[in-house]
Amino acid sequence: MPRFYHDDPAWSDVTPIPQLESGQVLAGISYTAEYSEAMSYLRAVMAANEYSTRVLDLTEHIISLNPAHYTVWLYRAQTLSALNRNLREEIKWLNPTALKHLKNYQIWHHRQTIIDRLGSCDGEQEFVEQMLEKDAKNYHVWSYRQWVVRRFGLFGDEGERKWCEGMMERDVRNNSVWNHRFFVVFGGLKGEVEEGLLKRELEYAQDAVRKAPQNECPWNYIRGVLRQAKKPMSTVKEFAKEFADLEKPDEVRSTHALDLLADIYEEEKKNDEAKTALDLLANKYDPIRAKYWEYRARSLDSAAVEA
Amino acid sequence: MAPDAEESGILKISKHVSYWRRNLKTYLPHHYTGTDSNRMLLAFFILSALDLLGDLDAALTDEERHEYVEWVYNCQIPDGGFRPSPGTYVGTARNQQNAVWDPAHIPGTFFSLLVLVLLGDDLKRVKRKETLIWLNRMQRPDGSFGETIGQAGRVEGGNDTRFGYMATGIRWILRGDIEGHVDDVPDIDVDKFVQCVRDSETYDGGISEAPFHEAHAGFACCAVSALALLDRLPVQTSQQKDQRLRGITDLPSTLHWLVSRQTLTLEEGEEDEGEQNGDANPSKGAQSQQDLSMVGMNGRCNKIADTCYAYWVCAPLDVLGHLHLVDTQRIRLWLLDMTQHFIGGFGKLPGDPPDIYHSYLGLFTLAMFGEPRLKEADAALCISKAAKERIESLPWRKAIVEQKI
């Protein structure tokens, strides 16, 4: 049922301000009568800086019609603060609202403001999980989870990493989970990467590669971990060769292994081998990126000339 | 989904013209209400699409052009900057106390300036000095830019490169790429912003929203374009090195990440095929000759192809001078045969109805690839080269930029 204000006694003291535009307008929208009227009342209360319970209802109404309206969210946050409202109640309302508008960004900015004021992340991890069940790669939700980890100092928490592993079991190809693991492991790290940590992270990613060798995520992770630890790519040469051995060019099991090997051979100044790997990628295993692999092969030549 | 052979690979120009003219001349359906607070963005897409199609002059009478210009200037805030739609304007009721609810807005300002240029305006009525002062206030101590200024001067909105890109765009339009004071207004802190972009480079070579967030083509594109507008991209071999801080610290990795966004996963439901069951032989995949004729682009690792990512991935490649690393013919064919809609415009995924956002970015990508019947495109500003040249030729701007020499 659409909701209107003009015949509502609770709003009779307010003179709505219509949208002020005339003549030829750009990107005009045929608003519903309901949205159009609600916005006119919002303009009127904003012009008067009114902060009240009915204003909270009005913002809730407009958010249900247009959750991407950033001003409405800011006005709501200010109203909550002016009325000294119970912020736990706000979170209770936000949860179903977020679940209804999965792609919305403003909700997360608002949530961050509220949780920051509350100073406690009780229940947040569970709620994030609920959101991820609906869309496991939702960018805003993962960004928010990172904010929670930073704000509440959860870096040292084994629980966060274990939770990541659970998410990974659901989908080893979900890059958001890989990124979150990298953040949890290295985001709070001060100083050098210790050998034990390096070993643990490489083994974790290598196990994942064995499950699905053509999955790009763990290969990127391996490169990232090695860079973070300032180790050469050749650290994982034998591992890469399990999936792509130039002596067995018909049995390549992963283009990413071949790609990594090309880098390793280049690192070792074995340009012929690097070229063989790049040729296999361009002509046989990854022809959609042929132009790129050919460019890489040409770059080897020019680097050799410069040397 | 794919059309018959004789219709394959054809940009249906007249359909696109009528699609965009309809968006210009009639009210948009109410399901655009979600973009109500960003109408200036829609206005930009509509006018710029008609410009790319070479139809803008024919589509507008002088009177319409004049009225549209007035409409945009009515969105200018007295203290500088523009609101992105008339939705927050309260007319004569506006005062010092309630002005915070009708703030100047970074995307609103960037797209207002571009819309004015597309309409042939010379930007002389833009409150240039006030806007540049406001732009400084929009930068946070960490170097990032927000969306608006809220209560108690707080910079609201995310701190990702989208707002940073548009802020550098406003700066580029209003004062070129010269650094330091212009007309007594100090510059933004360019080094701090560049540092911000460097910090959001990711472990896999991509660029994300903020340090340690997941690499995403949208943020990568905004970051690279912003650096271009600031003249802070890595030095080319032909250029002289200088001491200035530059972004994209590991160009080979970033190029690797960008070309990895090409995918054969073009339709929903294909995503988890094979791999999850341990089927990992890459040569057993879908790479037969026929399937290879079309290549889509995704925005993140292991995601499905989507029209808009053709722009978000190819634009930074173009700006970095490496568009030749992807096969634009195959991407073109994917856009034309899979996401181009028979009524004109482009949908997000094959079979989707067209929407303004995907229709513009699909069309722009083709222009960037040199589509014969479209105007040449400037990837960093996301407008035609002709429109960019019009900005560069504005006399007041030339006077500022020539101070540099």
Side-chain angles (χ1 to χ4, degrees):
Chain A
M1 271 294 278
R3 186 184 165 186
F4 291 97
Y5 298 88
H6 61 270
D7 52 2
D8 184 341
W11 287 88
S12 60
D13 58 317
V14 174
T15 309
I17 302 177
Q19 183 147 300
L20 297 164
E21 60 181 334
S22 57
Q24 294 284 344
V25 310
L26 283 166
I29 298 169
S30 6
Y31 306 119
T32 60
E34 182 185 14
Y35 178 76
S36 190
E37 190 191 90
M39 282 299 294
S40 298
Y41 278 81
L42 179 76
R43 278 184 286 270
V45 298
M46 289 199 307
N49 273 306
E50 176 184 326
Y51 305 113
S52 61
T53 305
R54 71 176 179 183
V55 163
L56 283 181
D57 292 343
L58 176 64
T59 57
E60 182 176 335
H61 182 206
I62 292 174
I63 285 165
S64 75
L65 301 171
N66 176 12
H69 205 304
Y70 61 94
T71 328
V72 179
W73 285 103
L74 294 179
Y75 200 72
R76 183 175 177 90
Q78 182 62 24
T79 308
L80 289 168
S81 153
L83 298 180
N84 206 9
R85 275 302 170 115
N86 179 343
L87 298 179
R88 279 279 156 219
E89 290 298 314
E90 181 70 358
I91 293 296
K92 261 194 212 162
W93 168 75
L94 262 182
N95 288 355
T97 309
L99 286 162
K100 209 167 138 192
H101 304 287
L102 286 177
K103 294 284 178 196
N104 179 272
Y105 161 75
Q106 280 77 12
I107 278 182
W108 296 96
H109 185 64
H110 186 72
R111 190 176 190 100
Q112 206 170 300
T113 308
I114 303 295
I115 293 293
D116 191 42
R117 278 188 206 161
L118 271 169
S120 154
C121 65
D122 285 354
E124 287 310 279
Q125 284 148 299
E126 291 76 10
F127 179 67
V128 162
E129 192 147 358
Q130 228 183 316
M131 284 294 295
L132 292 177
E133 258 162 45
K134 295 209 163 202
D135 176 6
K137 297 180 181 178
N138 188 312
Y139 200 88
H140 306 316
V141 177
W142 284 102
S143 290
Y144 177 71
R145 180 110 185 175
Q146 285 205 5
W147 177 80
V148 170
V149 170
R150 274 190 200 281
R151 168 69 175 80
F152 298 99
L154 305 178
F155 280 116
D157 188 358
E158 280 280 295
E160 190 70 10
R161 189 163 49 85
K162 292 284 170 212
W163 171 76
C164 261
E165 290 176 8
M167 288 297 292
M168 203 79 86
E169 271 162 36
R170 280 191 230 170
D171 180 7
V172 73
R173 287 166 56 83
N174 184 342
N175 194 54
S176 304
V177 186
W178 284 98
N179 186 77
H180 195 70
R181 182 179 176 101
F182 194 88
F183 162 71
V184 170
V185 173
F186 298 107
L189 197 67
K190 307 250 183 312
E192 304 269 294
V193 178
E194 287 173 20
E195 283 298 323
L197 182 71
L198 172 67
K199 192 164 171 276
R200 184 190 77 194
E201 291 310 299
L202 285 180
E203 278 174 7
Y204 183 78
Q206 289 172 348
D207 281 348
V209 167
R210 289 198 175 91
K211 278 183 209 155
Q214 191 48 26
N215 178 12
E216 187 183 337
C217 307
W219 290 104
N220 283 342
Y221 194 84
I222 289 169
R223 284 170 180 266
V225 168
L226 290 174
R227 238 178 256 139
Q228 191 79 16
K230 302 189 176 68
K231 298 282 181 196
M233 295 296 151
S234 57
T235 310
V236 292
K237 186 174 179 181
E238 290 312 311
F239 175 74
K241 281 171 78 173
E242 286 178 38
F243 304 91
D245 191 337
L246 298 188
E247 315 226 321
K248 298 174 197 157
D250 293 327
E251 292 171 34
V252 170
R253 290 159 63 208
S254 168
T255 61
H256 309 297
L258 208 44
D259 178 11
L260 184 58
L261 270 182
D263 279 342
I264 291 170
Y265 286 129
E266 190 179 350
E267 206 176 78
E268 296 176 340
K269 309 233 180 303
K270 292 181 181 161
N271 280 3
D272 289 344
E273 284 89 338
K275 224 168 177 177
T276 307
L278 293 168
D279 284 349
L280 278 172
L281 283 163
N283 299 316
K284 184 162 182 175
Y285 289 106
D286 195 36
I288 71 164
R289 268 167 280 277
K291 284 179 180 263
Y292 172 70
W293 304 123
E294 287 158 7
Y295 158 81
R296 286 264 303 269
R298 284 198 306 277
S299 309
L300 286 174
D301 294 338
S302 51
V305 170
E306 277 171 38
Chain B
M1 224 65 66
D4 298 338
E6 66 264 30
E7 278 192 28
S8 173
I10 292 170
L11 177 67
K12 299 183 178 100
I13 290 272
S14 64
K15 299 285 183 192
H16 287 273
V17 167
S18 36
Y19 173 76
W20 288 108
R21 278 208 186 195
R22 197 160 54 246
N23 285 324
L24 178 68
K25 304 274 171 162
T26 59
Y27 272 70
L28 304 172
H30 72 84
H31 59 250
Y32 279 100
T33 298
T35 322
D36 186 32
S37 51
N38 243 331
R39 275 173 59 192
M40 202 61 78
L41 170 70
L42 299 176
F44 163 72
F45 284 151
I46 295 167
L47 293 171
S48 191
L50 287 166
D51 178 41
L52 291 172
L53 287 159
D55 184 59
L56 191 54
D57 286 339
L60 294 174
T61 63
D62 286 348
E63 197 186 333
E64 282 168 333
R65 189 184 291 269
H66 170 76
E67 286 197 29
Y68 288 141
V69 167
E70 293 311 303
W71 182 84
V72 179
Y73 275 117
N74 279 334
C75 287
Q76 186 164 219
I77 303 288
D79 304 325
F82 289 74
R83 63 177 74 83
S85 98
T88 51
Y89 182 47
V90 294
T92 51
R94 197 178 199 274
N95 59 37
Q96 284 290 314
Q97 288 72 45
N98 62 32
V100 69
W101 304 118
D102 178 35
H105 182 261
I106 286 281
T109 305
F110 180 55
F111 294 116
S112 290
L113 295 175
L114 292 178
V115 164
L116 287 171
V117 168
L118 288 165
L119 290 167
D121 185 73
D122 61 8
L123 306 185
K124 276 203 175 147
R125 285 153 69 196
V126 171
K127 294 174 184 289
R128 205 173 56 81
K129 202 167 168 175
E130 291 87 341
T131 301
L132 288 171
I133 292 170
W134 163 76
L135 193 64
N136 281 330
R137 293 176 59 214
M138 289 305 305
Q139 190 172 22
R140 299 188 181 92
D142 70 357
S144 70
F145 286 83
E147 188 173 26
T148 58
I149 293 174
Q151 289 281 348
R154 182 173 128 139
V155 177
E156 300 283 356
N159 55 3
D160 55 75
T161 52
R162 281 175 311 161
F163 300 130
Y165 161 65
M166 292 184 265
T168 60
I170 294 166
R171 173 184 179 272
W172 185 88
I173 295 168
L174 296 182
R175 48 172 287 166
D177 62 6
I178 58 172
E179 300 191 0
H181 282 61
V182 164
D183 291 350
D184 298 332
V185 182
D187 200 358
I188 59 167
D189 192 332
V190 177
D191 284 345
K192 265 214 167 129
F193 174 71
V194 173
Q195 189 59 50
C196 225
V197 174
R198 290 165 68 107
D199 292 345
S200 60
E201 291 177 17
T202 53
Y203 67 85
D204 50 7
I207 299 170
S208 67
E209 181 183 34
F212 287 100
H213 287 222
E214 188 184 1
H216 186 292
F219 298 120
C221 178
C222 288
V224 169
S225 296
L227 293 170
L229 294 171
L230 294 169
D231 189 19
R232 294 294 188 102
L233 281 175
V235 277
Q236 310 265 334
T237 35
S238 57
Q239 272 178 303
Q240 279 227 306
K241 285 196 177 134
D242 59 24
Q243 295 304 307
R244 298 185 308 158
L245 187 69
R246 289 171 180 275
I248 315 298
T249 57
D250 183 358
L251 182 61
S253 290
T254 300
L255 294 176
H256 183 273
W257 185 84
L258 288 168
V259 300
S260 298
R261 304 283 56 78
Q262 294 171 98
T263 176
L264 294 172
T265 307
L266 303 180
E267 295 192 70
E268 267 171 340
E270 297 177 336
E271 280 164 277
D272 295 324
E273 265 180 27
E275 199 49 38
Q276 289 289 49
N277 309 322
D279 173 12
N281 186 346
S283 62
K284 235 175 94 185
Q287 310 205 348
S288 72
Q289 267 325 97
Q290 196 195 337
D291 289 328
L292 273 178
S293 62
M294 278 189 266
V295 171
M297 308 298 275
N298 64 25
R300 287 186 268 162
C301 182
N302 285 340
K303 295 272 286 181
I304 185 180
D306 170 334
T307 297
C308 69
Y309 291 113
Y311 170 73
W312 298 119
V313 177
C314 293
L317 281 170
D318 192 19
V319 172
L320 290 165
H322 283 88
L323 189 57
H324 61 91
L325 297 187
V326 294
D327 193 335
T328 54
Q329 283 311 309
R330 290 172 179 176
I331 300 164
R332 176 181 178 273
L333 206 58
W334 160 60
L335 291 172
L336 290 177
D337 287 4
M338 298 289 274
T339 71
Q340 179 175 227
H341 198 274
F342 68 88
I343 65 160
F346 294 83
K348 174 185 167 78
L349 303 174
D352 281 0
D355 64 82
I356 290 179
Y357 167 77
H358 290 94
S359 295
Y360 182 75
L361 293 181
L363 190 72
F364 188 86
T365 302
L366 296 175
M368 197 163 59
F369 291 172
E371 185 72 29
R373 292 163 74 194
L374 298 178
K375 282 194 189 172
E376 279 186 74
D378 180 80
L381 284 168
C382 201
I383 55 177
S384 70
K385 279 202 171 135
K388 183 188 180 182
E389 282 158 15
R390 206 174 308 138
I391 299 173
E392 288 172 324
S393 71
L394 294 169
W396 58 263
R397 188 180 180 281
K398 274 174 106 168
I400 295 171
V401 176
E402 276 157 18
Q403 287 172 14
K404 187 183 180 182
I405 303 156

